[in-house]
Amino acid sequence: MMALTLKAMDYFTTALRHGNIAKAASALNIAASAVSSAIDQVETEFDLTLVTRHRARGIQPNASGREVARKCERLLEEYRSLIAEGADLKKSLSGTLRIGYYAPIAPAFLPQILDNFLPGDTAVTLELEECDNDQAQDGLINGKFDAILFVAEDVRPSIKFDTLITAPPFCLLPEAHPLARLSEVSMAQIAREPLIVLNRPLVAAYYKGLFQSETRQAPTVAYVNSTEMVRCLVAAGRGCAILNMRPKTPVTYTGEQVVERPISDILPPLNLAIGYDKSRPRRSVQNFVEACSNYFSKAGTERCIVDC
């Protein structure tokens, strides 16, 4: 069976409205033979004679032809409405914006980024989900997320992204620790201190790898999967830690303070990136991407990283 195309339905209904193949062809700016072929296609699809052709008087639908034309018009109207609504959705700040994030300190910057492009009266519903790096990428690929904040390491080939910030590692210390009085610390000094490791996929291996050239002289005293728990344990004097991005405030949940110091060794950074469909982004997605870029190109860099 031949598939009935939208184009054939459009030509068929236009011909019936004009009652003349030549006039329909002129209105559609196509050849008369294309209109005649479309009528033949519709009749073949239904295995019915739908139109009577009169050499002098044009064409005239029979009862079946009028019924088929009405249904084709209804389908064409719904199709045009769908296309119009899709165009409006692409251009409007409305609907649901679904963001997956693998960024342990995202609460420190994500609300401010969202405020920069979503005024309070905007009809956008936010769905924010914390996940690991693989879950974020999987979610973008399968359509669960419109955009993701993730670490640009081992990126899937189909993921298109922009790097937002390159964050070198820094040392996190209790406020009263002797190393906190230094302007920077070395990996050799850190190797002599009890260590608290952020035990999240990807970054845990990254932090351990930083010590490959150094011999650890003190134990790892805790593995935790929350950045704030790392900060609280450090503030309580349980050990030091290595992180890449810092919250806006040195004050922890416990009310105690931590101190960040740059590391003097040349170490590989982590790159925070935003992934999204670059070929067909909705307006809300594009605005979110621009807001993220603007944030980190200005005060975000100073707030979120500790550099030498």
Side-chain angles (χ1 to χ4, degrees):
M1 180 179 290
M2 184 186 299
L4 187 59
T5 65
L6 291 169
K7 182 182 292 185
M9 287 190 284
D10 187 24
Y11 292 0
F12 174 75
T13 55
T14 302
L16 266 59
R17 283 199 305 272
H18 285 84
N20 185 283
I21 290 177
K23 290 181 180 179
S26 177
L28 293 165
N29 196 28
I30 59 173
S33 60
V35 178
S36 181
S37 177
I39 295 172
D40 291 340
Q41 182 183 342
V42 175
E43 290 184 323
T44 299
E45 182 69 23
F46 289 99
D47 195 21
L48 291 170
T49 298
L50 303 174
V51 172
T52 302
R53 291 172 168 87
H54 303 285
R55 180 169 298 180
R57 293 178 296 166
I59 60 174
Q60 184 176 4
N62 57 27
S64 296
R66 288 191 292 272
E67 181 63 21
V68 169
R70 280 196 295 271
K71 292 182 177 180
C72 286
E73 288 281 15
R74 191 176 304 119
L75 285 171
L76 289 167
E77 182 179 348
E78 291 179 358
Y79 171 74
R80 294 179 186 118
S81 177
L82 174 63
I83 295 301
E85 289 174 6
D88 289 342
L89 177 62
K90 181 179 177 65
K91 296 176 182 177
S92 66
L93 278 177
S94 62
T96 300
L97 180 60
R98 301 161 301 172
I99 301 169
Y101 60 92
Y102 177 62
I105 69 158
F109 59 78
L110 194 49
Q112 184 173 349
I113 290 174
L114 293 169
D115 282 345
N116 286 340
F117 84 101
L118 287 179
D121 58 351
T122 302
V124 173
T125 301
L126 295 170
E127 291 185 5
L128 309 178
E129 181 174 332
E130 184 173 353
C131 47
D132 66 36
N133 224 46
D134 286 335
Q135 290 170 337
Q137 294 183 70
D138 288 341
L140 183 63
I141 291 170
N142 64 31
K144 181 179 180 180
F145 301 130
D146 298 307
I148 58 172
L149 294 168
F150 72 116
V151 176
E153 303 291 335
D154 298 325
V155 182
R156 311 283 172 78
S158 59
I159 298 287
K160 306 302 179 187
F161 67 93
D162 298 330
T163 298
L164 295 173
I165 188 171
T166 296
F170 65 86
C171 183
L172 191 71
L173 296 158
E175 188 177 24
H177 195 285
L179 292 180
R181 294 194 290 269
L182 304 178
S183 60
E184 61 181 23
V185 298
S186 68
M187 289 299 294
Q189 291 171 313
I190 298 171
R192 295 193 290 268
E193 300 296 326
L195 190 68
I196 299 164
V197 175
L198 178 62
N199 194 24
R200 301 287 297 271
L202 185 74
V203 295
Y206 163 79
Y207 291 134
K208 291 178 182 177
L210 297 179
F211 287 99
Q212 287 181 352
S213 61
E214 300 290 342
T215 301
R216 287 285 302 147
Q217 300 172 27
T220 297
V221 294
Y223 292 91
V224 296
N225 63 3
S226 160
T227 300
E228 192 54 36
M229 182 59 75
V230 170
R231 284 161 41 83
C232 289
L233 290 175
V234 170
R238 302 295 299 179
C240 67
I242 299 176
L243 296 174
N244 290 73
M245 296 185 68
R246 63 176 174 179
K248 186 176 179 179
T249 173
V251 181
T252 67
Y253 280 175
T254 62
E256 299 174 291
Q257 293 198 24
V258 288
V259 174
E260 302 106 350
R261 290 292 179 263
I263 299 173
S264 57
D265 304 68
I266 298 176
L267 300 171
L270 286 180
N271 296 308
L272 179 67
I274 182 165
Y276 63 104
D277 181 357
K278 291 191 174 187
S279 62
R280 297 181 300 274
R282 290 161 38 211
R283 182 186 171 196
S284 57
V285 175
Q286 186 63 50
N287 285 15
F288 175 64
V289 172
E290 292 173 0
C292 288
S293 298
N294 291 338
Y295 178 86
F296 285 109
S297 66
K298 298 175 183 176
T301 300
E302 296 175 3
R303 290 178 180 176
C304 292
I305 70 171
V306 178
D307 209 350
C308 293

